[in-house]
Amino acid sequence: MSEKTMTDKEWSDLWKKEIENSLTEVQKLREQLRPIPFHSPLWEEYHGAYGEVRENVAFLFCPRELVPQMDKIVRLDFEEKGDDRINFDNLCENLSHQLSFYSATYLAMPYLVLLLEKKRREQDFRWQMLIIEQAGIILSTDSSPEEENCESVIPKEILYSYQISKKVLRSITEEFLARYLEELKKQEKEELKYFVTALLAIFGDPGAAFQLVMGSWEQTPVACPECDYFDEEMEDGFYEEELMKEKIEPAESVIGKWDGKSFENTYLWFSNLAHELGIEEEWKIPYYYGTYTCPECGEKGILIEWMKICEM
């Protein structure tokens, strides 16, 4: 039967079959993550910025040649892309639009991790890098409380799947960095800047990732938690480099002191990885993790920590 003569139902049945076959390839991890099945009505309740994401998530696992024609959500994206990539981009935009958190992330994240595992098995460097970067950006929007404080509002099966998917994402990302560090160094530097920023969210500090993405590594809004003084001069941050040097005592350099394996000390691994990848703005990191003194009351604190709690 030719493509032109297939009915909508026949196409639908074919897509469902191929998507299920694709997911079966990562069945063991699927059983571990327990993602919400596609037939669940929960997909109608948990939305992204543009509505339901069930179809976009499902088509992540459809063979490339069978993915239907997709229209880009981001109209200003003029890069020529296949429909599988457009579908992926649309999903990520749906989950991170304007760096807001959307409930559909709870349902979609386990499937993004399953897709990452498929690409890991295929040894597809570019797709792995892309998924890790976008998953991190999406996680940077999540400022929800910890699991014990979420159970009253989020069904346990959703919370379990979401939390364990983040743990697996971290594990796969660690393996990716160990295996592909030299390949990463060859990538475009501006993309690497956002890739390494996304890692902050994956390795446990989504608030820091959010601030760096939101401010494009330039803006540093900060308010004193002791006296509530908002430093308007600091708002433009690194646009005024001399001001940063006047107001912040940078953290001591830790370059060369990282073992390349541990991600517990954020300043340590973040500084060294940015250095190894050749990020031009790496010099700013000691300032983000340096000591800022409130000009109003004299209270001292780590700049990035005060940025994370600043409400504008």
Side-chain angles (χ1 to χ4, degrees), residues 29 31-35 109-110 113 147 158-170:
L29 180 58
E31 291 172 359
Q32 179 184 357
L33 298 182
R34 302 181 201 170
M109 188 56 64
V113 175
E147 180 173 347
I158 293 179
L159 194 58
Y160 170 87
S161 182
Y162 179 60
Q163 296 290 2
I164 198 169
S165 71
K166 291 195 292 183
K167 293 179 181 179
V168 174
L169 172 63
R170 174 172 177 148

Side-chain angles (χ1 to χ4, degrees), residues 8 18 23 35-36 40 53 56 78 99 152 219 227 245 254 259 268 279-280 290 292 308 312:
D8 289 344
E18 293 297 333
L23 282 167
I36 302 303
S40 171
V53 302
N56 289 127
F78 300 114
L99 284 182
S152 61
Q219 295 178 312
C227 69
K245 293 180 178 179
V254 291
D259 62 6
L268 179 63
I279 307 300
E280 292 182 3
Y292 167 80
K308 284 156 57 175
M312 296 184 65

